[in-house]
Amino acid sequence: MGSPSAYSLRALETARECVILGARPRTIAHLTGLTPGYILRAVYCERYPAPIGRPQYSEDFFFKTTRRLQAEACFLATHYRRLTSEGFMQADALIAAFRHHRATQPDSTFGFDQAFFLISRLDGIWAATKSGLSFVECLNCRSPYLAPHGMAQRDSCPVCRTDWRLKSRARARVRASSPPAPPVDPPKSNRPRQDAPWQLDLDIAHVRLVGRLQQLGAGDKVLAVLAEEPRAKLFRAPRGRPTVTSAYLSRPMPLATWSAKTEVTHRVQYAVFASHFRRVVRLDLSLTEAMCAAFETTRRACRDYPKPVSFDRCFEVAALLDGIWGVTEKRLELLQCASCSSHYLVSKADSHPSGCPFCMLIRRHRILLPALAA
Ligand SMILES: [Zn+2]
Ligand SMILES: [Zn+2]
């Protein structure tokens, strides 16, 4: 483990939320399943360093703390329960409830790790092996509050025993005696800071890219090359194959007889793809980004084609067109047709190039696209 591709986008994004809310490594490990090694290496960063010390995984704090903090914890738990009964997943519900708590009680000292453990004990999940807390309804104010199982004292509701008007002085005392809440968003300094990139953000982008490539139908090796996975550096062209790129594909395109061996409708789609690819590359996107964007545009433009071209073939076209991804020289070129002025692809090694596929398509449209012949 340790490679971000092994983790789900969900786990990484949950970890990101937790870090911003001040969670400790163990809490993040419980909520996401990420390994401690990965969490220390990639999840914390200069801006959000790992909090020091072990998390207080004990419900003692809850019964020994001020009534006001108990009441806040009860509100959080009630909010959490409302969200889970609406179908939210437990980790998402905890994060949403804690964010709400932060927004409504900005001065509160109730920390994320404490909220995490309280919810663990309420539902018998994550850090708790079984449930030890349950909701009791106060007979006086009708608020649900938390009590140990079977210990419901109907008169110990922290919500109505808290003096909500007492604010500043008492709160300041509490704050001075307990650890400060972790910063939500440290104030930005005016000096331009050269922060190292947050590894977690890079990993989230990587996992997103892998998902996008898979969804576009990229083969395993092409995906590794485009996502710049370390294993791609080990790929070698088999003997007799002229380029590294052709090693990614089981059967490279026959460049010496390209126009004759490639179907006209495929040549049309490759031409559409190549034109978009060239255009997008000029917009200063990364090659991988350009590859995905041009392929998506082609697929939309040619969605009625009975035989759509594959992602890997378009990858091959782009590599041969621009001499990239292991191809050392350009082997395809885009020419403009003299009669229809469309751009189309020609293989430089083709001894009998058969001309513009768009013109051929117009000539043969009755056979190829009978539905459009009206
Ligand atoms: Zn009450
Ligand atoms: Zn033409």
Side-chain angles (χ1 to χ4, degrees):
M1 281 295 237
S3 145
S5 334
Y7 299 126
S8 68
L9 187 58
R10 192 185 141 66
L12 296 175
E13 284 178 336
T14 303
R16 195 178 191 285
E17 304 271 357
C18 293
V19 168
I20 294 172
L21 295 173
R24 283 183 164 74
R26 256 179 84 194
T27 301
I28 297 179
H30 276 299
L31 285 171
T32 61
L34 300 178
T35 59
Y38 178 79
I39 291 172
L40 289 177
R41 197 174 64 247
V43 170
Y44 293 101
C45 62
E46 215 169 72
R47 188 172 180 196
Y48 301 110
I52 296 159
R54 289 172 71 78
Q56 303 160 305
Y57 286 169
S58 152
E59 63 216 45
D60 283 357
F61 86 89
F62 176 68
F63 296 108
K64 289 179 183 159
T65 190
T66 59
R67 290 203 191 104
R68 189 188 173 109
L69 218 136
Q70 285 182 355
E72 287 172 7
C74 293
F75 291 150
L76 179 130
T78 311
H79 195 157
Y80 164 85
R81 174 60 74 242
R82 211 178 296 136
L83 290 167
T84 52
S85 56
E86 291 284 331
F88 275 73
M89 291 172 86
Q90 287 153 327
D92 295 339
L94 168 63
I95 289 169
F98 192 77
R99 270 222 217 90
H100 176 81
H101 162 74
R102 269 282 166 80
T104 50
Q105 308 285 336
D107 294 332
S108 174
T109 56
F110 187 44
F112 187 77
D113 294 306
Q114 293 173 324
F116 161 80
F117 189 72
L118 205 68
I119 297 300
S120 296
R121 286 290 283 157
L122 175 67
D123 278 357
I125 51 175
W126 303 323
T129 43
K130 57 183 183 1
S131 160
L133 295 171
S134 42
F135 283 108
V136 181
E137 194 191 285
C138 170
L139 295 178
N140 181 31
C141 74
R142 297 283 156 198
S143 292
Y145 67 95
L146 291 170
H149 282 333
M151 301 261 295
Q153 291 167 316
R154 296 275 164 184
D155 57 350
S156 61
C157 167
V159 179
C160 43
R161 292 168 77 207
T162 297
D163 187 349
W164 293 94
R165 288 162 308 171
L166 248 181
K167 226 178 175 179
S168 45
R169 212 174 303 161
R171 303 282 294 158
R173 259 207 317 279
V174 171
R175 230 177 301 153
S177 62
S178 49
V184 188
D185 232 1
K188 279 194 190 129
S189 78
N190 291 332
R191 273 180 298 130
R193 279 179 58 190
Q194 293 290 313
D195 278 357
W198 192 359
Q199 187 58 44
L200 184 59
D201 275 345
L202 298 179
D203 290 351
I204 287 174
H206 178 85
V207 172
R208 274 218 188 100
L209 173 64
V210 167
R212 186 179 182 195
L213 289 168
Q214 282 168 341
Q215 187 255 323
L216 293 176
D220 179 57
K221 284 188 166 175
V222 169
L223 184 149
V225 171
L226 288 175
E228 292 172 22
E229 295 195 341
R231 66 193 168 108
K233 291 205 180 74
L234 305 173
F235 296 163
R236 294 282 175 272
R239 224 180 325 178
R241 295 271 176 90
T243 63
V244 177
T245 295
S246 57
Y248 309 148
L249 307 153
S250 54
R251 222 153 32 99
M253 296 192 291
L255 293 175
T257 51
W258 194 70
S259 60
K261 293 269 174 70
T262 310
E263 283 188 44
V264 175
T265 51
H266 279 183
R267 285 208 290 135
V268 165
Q269 293 179 74
Y270 292 142
V272 170
F273 166 77
S275 308
H276 282 297
F277 181 75
R278 274 277 167 85
R279 187 179 54 82
V280 182
V281 165
R282 265 189 234 117
L283 297 176
D284 220 19
L285 293 180
S286 74
L287 290 175
T288 299
E289 192 53 50
M291 177 68 223
C292 294
F295 183 73
E296 278 163 355
T297 309
T298 306
R299 201 154 71 170
R300 265 198 310 278
C302 304
R303 62 182 174 279
D304 296 328
Y305 278 47
K307 281 192 237 168
V309 288
S310 73
F311 184 86
D312 285 5
R313 282 290 179 226
C314 288
F315 167 83
E316 193 181 6
V317 165
L320 294 167
L321 178 69
D322 280 351
I324 46 177
W325 294 315
V327 177
T328 46
E329 57 183 289
K330 300 177 180 183
R331 288 157 184 276
L332 290 178
E333 59 186 336
L334 265 179
L335 300 181
Q336 192 168 20
C337 170
S339 63
C340 77
S341 55
S342 303
H343 287 88
Y344 68 100
L345 286 165
V346 175
S347 161
K348 292 180 179 179
D350 203 334
S351 44
H352 300 288
S354 63
C356 169
F358 295 97
C359 288
M360 289 175 73
L361 198 62
I362 293 165
R363 281 199 297 275
R364 291 165 55 187
H365 74 279
R366 277 169 210 287
I367 307 156
L368 287 165
L369 299 167
L372 292 183

